[in-house]
Amino acid sequence: MEGFGIRIEGLKKRYGEGDTAVDALKDVNMTVAPGEVVGLIGPSGSGKSTLLKCLGAVIEPTAGRMTLGDEVIFEDGWKIPDLRALRRDRIGFVFQAPYLIPFLDVTDNVALLPMLAGRSNAEARQRANDLLAALDVGHRASAQPSQLSGGEQQRVAIARALANQPPVVLADEPTAPLDSERALGVVRILNDMALQFRTAIIVVTHDEKIIPTFKRIYHIRDGKTYQEQGLTTT
């Protein structure tokens, strides 16, 4: 594996103190290379949601180390002064629901983040149009979210996650509402986008339809991670 999109070492998260303390994450270790998509699976209460929130700089871990590219962003405390900018510019998010802004058309939904990051309107819209074309929804650029199918909405959500060219994308149950064909289509898109943009992608899923597609899988149980090779290489 050449380099790392993200590297997590000994990550811990404790809620509460004293006798009521709960260790949601006890010892999480993960590496995801640029251009790689890995699966993260585990039962309810295993720590998946907490881990995703830590990786997304939504909550602060208790201890451990996280490296994004070649920069340490957390080591027993945040090393990045502006976490909002970190989330906006360097971490993409794809959720179970697309969460598109209903009063903006498809292009503006994707262009909004680059504009918030300081790009010109023209540059942001060009970036959006390029991504939409790459995801085969360029013909829907002027449509409203309500006019899209579920699969199209999720493609637009993926385009939005990639809009600022983040080194890492976190996908939380991105195929849960989709049928088998569309779910596998989303996984193919994530793999294609990871390779094209050298993005490290972590997919949290319970979806048994897509688990066999991962080349590497991390299981999380009782707050600890265990790696295994995926079931296929496609």
Side-chain angles (χ1 to χ4, degrees), residues 156-200:
V156 175
I158 292 170
R160 181 182 57 194
L162 294 166
N164 278 334
Q165 297 177 287
V168 171
V169 167
L170 306 175
D172 188 10
E173 300 283 0
T175 64
L178 304 176
D179 60 32
S180 294
E181 182 178 355
R182 289 185 174 87
L184 292 172
V186 165
V187 174
R188 284 193 294 271
I189 287 168
L190 290 174
N191 277 283
D192 290 344
M193 295 297 100
L195 289 172
Q196 182 174 344
F197 298 111
R198 304 301 295 159
T199 306

Side-chain angles (χ1 to χ4, degrees), residues 40-48 173 204-206 218-221:
L40 176 64
I41 62 177
S44 297
S46 60
K48 296 191 306 298
E173 300 283 0
V204 175
T205 188
H206 286 102
Y218 283 94
H219 292 266
I220 183 166
R221 295 191 298 273

